[in-house]
């Protein structure tokens, strides 16, 4: 279709935004848009944004500034802001960057086609509703074209936990789970298009409760799809880690031995101030229980340093918890006050202190990640090959523990799971050789 309009989408933030961007591209596909990889000759630019920390949100305004020239050259160019900044800031975005034509929140992007048609030539279209209807019932049907071996699938959205630092309950709204029958249909469709691994997404994915099914129940049903070889899920809250999900890690071969289970802090005082509703010890006991069910599990986490009121002693308790757990992978952040959240009202830890704590914490996490990777050397793992590597004849895939693995292999192995012996560990990846 040579007369198709060109759509440039840039995605920030979490994996759910990656999924939403796919669905938005499909919505706009129905309005005659085809995706392009550069903003330069686009007819529409859409930024799918993240509001989790201040830096992420502010980046959007500088990014928009860069499109000023393009808009001057092509006044028909439509510029849209979607995602969590759109939800949180709404009209304010158009006030700060008047060249923006369209603002759409994460719960109303099924109306994108209509908004796009209305926007432009000075008309602004804004929709940041939390509508009654379920957007998934109104999205464009998914295309049949072949796609890569891995995919995200949103099963649950929103959060009712209200951690004191977090904007998600405000930007994504209350917890909602999609029905298992719809999800099974969507997963089946993905597998028919070549997908072999599905990562189930939710801001609080293990709180999933679609039609009375738990996440473990849903995983059990998905595991019956022929051709689907691997299932993952993220992000989980410790308080929703139910026994049936723990057992699934022992019993379901397709469920990968990897768990992202954020704790945020190791200090009970800070956990309480964060409204996490569990203690450090409870988290440690939970980890023990999960590891008893699945000894080979690789644990990942999120940490915040410099939350209001965090003393040196509190921070040391976080370091102790990290030492006690032993993470294979983790994300860590300086606390960033977010407007409208309870913690933003508290007095803040000095930035220099946050910087120093973050550096120490990241050193520890990096050494644990290295050790976890090093422990793989000599082991046999299974790798789902995803794409060609930079070196001739090399493919890149992911092990069951989500390690990136480089292997010399025929390209025909892309999309297949193969046995691989790990021979070496680099900074952020492993090298291996095919077995047999
Ligand atoms: N400041 C710093 N980090 C935050 N996160 C969420 N909100 C904030 C904030 N205000 C982190 C948490 C969460 C991850 C997605 O982002 O660690 O688990
Ligand atoms: Fe935010 Fe996660 Fe806490 Fe929900 S559980 S408020 S998404 S940090």
């Amino acid at each position: 279709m040579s007369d198709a309009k060109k759509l440039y989408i840039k995605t920030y933030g979490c994996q759910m935004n990656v999924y939403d961007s796919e669905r938005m591209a499909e919505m706009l596909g129905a309005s005659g848009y085809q995706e392009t990889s550069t903003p330069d000759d686009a007819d529409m630019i859409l930024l799918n944004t993240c509001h989790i920390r201040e830096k992420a949100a502010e980046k959007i305004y500088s990014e928009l500034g860069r499109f000023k020239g393009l808009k001057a050259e092509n006044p028909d160019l439509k510029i849209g802001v979607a995602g969590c900044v759109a939800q949180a800031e709404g009209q304010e975005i158009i006030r700060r960057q008047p060249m923006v034509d369209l603002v759409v929140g994460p719960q109303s992007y099924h109306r994108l086609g209509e908004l796009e048609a209305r926007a432009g030539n000075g008309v602004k279209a804004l929709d940041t509703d939390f509508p009654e209807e379920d957007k998934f019932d109104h999205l464009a049907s998914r295309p049949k074209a072949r796609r890569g071996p891995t995919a995200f699938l949103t099963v649950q959205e929103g959060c009712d936990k209200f951690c004191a630092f977090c904007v998600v309950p405000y930007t994504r709204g209350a917890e909602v789970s999609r029905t298992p029958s719809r999800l099974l249909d969507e997963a089946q469709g993905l597998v028919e298009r070549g997908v072999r691994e599905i990562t189930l997404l939710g801001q609080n994915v293990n709180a999933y409760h679609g039609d009375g099914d738990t996440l473990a129940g849903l995983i059990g049903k998905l595991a019956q799809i022929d051709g689907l070889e691997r299932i993952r899920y993220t992000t989980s809250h410790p308080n929703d880690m139910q026994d049936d999900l723990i057992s699934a890690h022992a019993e379901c071969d397709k469920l990968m031995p990897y768990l992202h289970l954020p704790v945020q802090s190791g200090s009970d005082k800070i956990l309480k101030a964060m409204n996490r509703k569990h203690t450090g010890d409870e988290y440690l006991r939970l980890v023990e229980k999960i590891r008893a069910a699945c000894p080979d599990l690789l644990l990942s986490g999120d940490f915040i340093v410099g939350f209001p009121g965090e003393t040196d002693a509190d921070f040391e308790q976080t370091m102790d918890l990290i030492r006690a757990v032993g993470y294979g992978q983790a994300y860590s952040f300086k606390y960033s006050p977010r407007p409208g959240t309870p913690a933003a009202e508290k007095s803040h830890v000095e930035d220099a202190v946050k910087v120093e704590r973050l550096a120490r914490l990241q050193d520890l996490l990096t050494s644990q990640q290295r050790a976890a990777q090093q422990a793989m050397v000599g082991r046999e793992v299974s790798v789902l090959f995803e794409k060609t590597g930079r070196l001739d004849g090399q493919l890149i895939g992911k092990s069951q523990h989500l390690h990136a693995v480089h292997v010399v292999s025929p390209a025909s192995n892309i999309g297949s799971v193969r046995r691989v012996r790990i021979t070496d560990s680099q900074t952020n990846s492993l090298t291996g050789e095919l077995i047999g």
Side-chain angles (χ1 to χ4, degrees):
M1 247 197 350
S2 58
D3 58 350
K5 294 176 281 182
K6 291 193 182 120
L7 168 69
Y8 173 72
I9 298 196
K10 187 160 177 181
T11 307
Y12 299 82
C14 65
Q15 292 152 327
M16 196 175 288
N17 269 7
V18 175
Y19 177 84
D20 288 340
S21 289
E22 274 176 26
R23 302 300 306 248
M24 286 194 271
E26 291 163 13
M27 278 310 285
L28 289 168
S31 309
Y33 281 94
Q34 248 174 20
E35 266 195 273
T36 171
S37 56
T38 149
D40 299 340
D41 58 350
D43 299 287
M44 177 160 182
I45 294 174
L46 190 60
L47 302 183
N48 191 11
T49 62
C50 172
H51 200 248
I52 199 92
R53 283 169 290 276
E54 190 181 359
K55 237 194 215 159
E58 281 306 309
K59 209 174 354 176
I60 300 311
Y61 290 101
S62 54
E63 187 74 31
L64 285 169
R66 290 181 38 210
F67 298 140
K68 252 191 195 130
L70 292 175
K71 184 90 171 179
E73 273 168 37
N74 173 13
D76 292 335
L77 168 66
K78 294 182 184 178
I79 297 185
V81 178
C84 292
V85 176
Q87 189 64 46
E89 301 191 2
Q91 194 74 43
E92 172 70 7
I93 298 174
I94 295 171
R95 198 192 60 74
R96 278 181 70 178
Q97 285 288 4
M99 67 176 168
V100 170
D101 303 288
L102 182 161
V103 175
V104 63
Q107 299 311 346
S108 48
Y109 69 74
H110 53 299
R111 298 172 179 166
L112 194 52
E114 179 257 319
L115 291 167
E116 185 276 336
R118 188 147 49 86
N121 290 323
V123 176
K124 309 291 181 192
L126 181 133
D127 191 337
T128 52
D129 279 358
F130 286 105
E132 287 283 310
E133 77 270 15
D134 179 352
K135 70 169 176 264
F136 293 105
D137 291 342
H138 298 268
L139 291 173
S141 55
R142 306 215 69 177
K144 298 274 175 271
R146 250 191 115 71
R147 50 176 293 162
T150 63
F152 296 128
L153 175 57
T154 293
V155 303
Q156 176 280 340
E157 264 191 281
C159 183
D160 297 339
K161 295 280 192 290
F162 290 92
C163 296
F165 50 82
C166 185
V167 288
V168 165
Y170 312 97
T171 56
R172 290 273 173 173
E175 250 176 36
V176 180
S177 297
R178 297 178 65 193
T179 58
S181 59
R182 296 282 173 82
L183 292 168
L184 286 166
D185 282 352
E186 193 169 335
Q188 181 70 50
L190 289 168
V191 171
E192 281 161 17
R193 294 167 65 195
V195 169
R196 297 290 165 260
E197 172 182 304
I198 293 181
T199 302
L200 308 177
L201 300 180
Q203 270 92 28
N204 225 179
V205 73
N206 56 344
Y208 175 84
H209 58 273
D211 276 354
D213 245 330
T214 59
L215 184 65
L218 177 67
I219 289 170
K221 287 180 176 154
L222 288 166
Q224 287 169 25
I225 296 178
D226 273 346
L228 177 61
E229 303 202 41
R230 291 175 154 191
I231 302 169
R232 303 181 185 277
Y233 61 94
T234 196
T235 287
S236 297
H237 191 289
N239 291 355
D240 290 315
M241 208 62 216
Q242 302 300 334
D243 287 349
D244 62 344
L245 186 55
I246 297 176
S247 301
H249 275 285
E251 290 156 12
C252 178
D253 291 343
K254 292 188 179 182
L255 183 59
M256 292 294 103
Y258 182 99
L259 176 61
H260 184 63
L261 193 66
V263 65
Q264 315 294 354
S265 168
S267 149
D268 289 348
K269 181 191 95 190
I270 295 299
L271 286 168
K272 190 158 198 291
M274 284 177 164
N275 193 31
R276 292 289 293 183
K277 299 199 170 78
H278 61 76
T279 63
D281 256 0
E282 283 163 351
Y283 180 85
L284 289 175
R285 270 186 275 129
L286 176 62
V287 166
E288 254 172 45
K289 195 167 160 187
I290 300 165
R291 281 188 167 146
C294 181
D296 193 32
L297 190 96
L298 190 139
L299 259 181
S300 158
D302 289 341
F303 297 91
I304 295 178
V305 300
F307 186 80
E310 186 187 74
T311 61
D312 284 342
D314 293 317
F315 173 68
E316 291 308 330
Q317 287 173 14
T318 302
M319 297 289 276
D320 288 344
L321 180 141
I322 294 172
R323 286 186 204 100
V325 171
Y327 288 91
Q329 146 80 29
Y331 304 89
S332 48
F333 315 96
K334 287 193 291 179
Y335 168 69
S336 166
R338 308 306 293 126
T341 59
E345 311 300 320
K346 303 276 164 57
S347 71
H348 296 306
V349 172
E350 233 179 277
D351 192 57
V353 175
K354 289 186 197 171
V355 170
E356 194 264 336
R357 286 181 189 164
L358 186 65
R360 283 188 51 209
L361 184 116
Q362 290 186 336
D363 274 353
L364 176 59
L365 289 169
T366 304
S367 69
Q368 292 193 341
Q369 182 196 319
R370 294 243 169 88
Q373 283 186 204
Q374 198 59 44
M376 293 292 161
V377 177
R379 261 188 72 171
E380 276 185 30
V381 300
S382 67
V383 173
L384 170 58
F385 287 108
E386 294 177 18
K387 56 186 179 188
T388 51
R390 255 181 295 149
L391 297 181
D392 225 16
Q394 211 178 46
L395 298 186
I396 303 179
K398 296 271 167 55
S399 74
Q400 64 270 44
H401 300 104
L402 213 52
H403 286 130
V405 187
H406 298 250
V407 183
V408 173
S409 161
S412 56
N413 273 335
I414 291 179
S416 300
V417 177
R418 294 275 181 257
R419 297 298 292 168
V420 166
R421 181 173 295 106
I422 301 301
T423 52
D424 201 4
S425 166
Q426 288 83 37
T427 314
N428 284 310
S429 64
L430 302 170
T431 311
E433 54 195 20
L434 286 174
I435 300 172

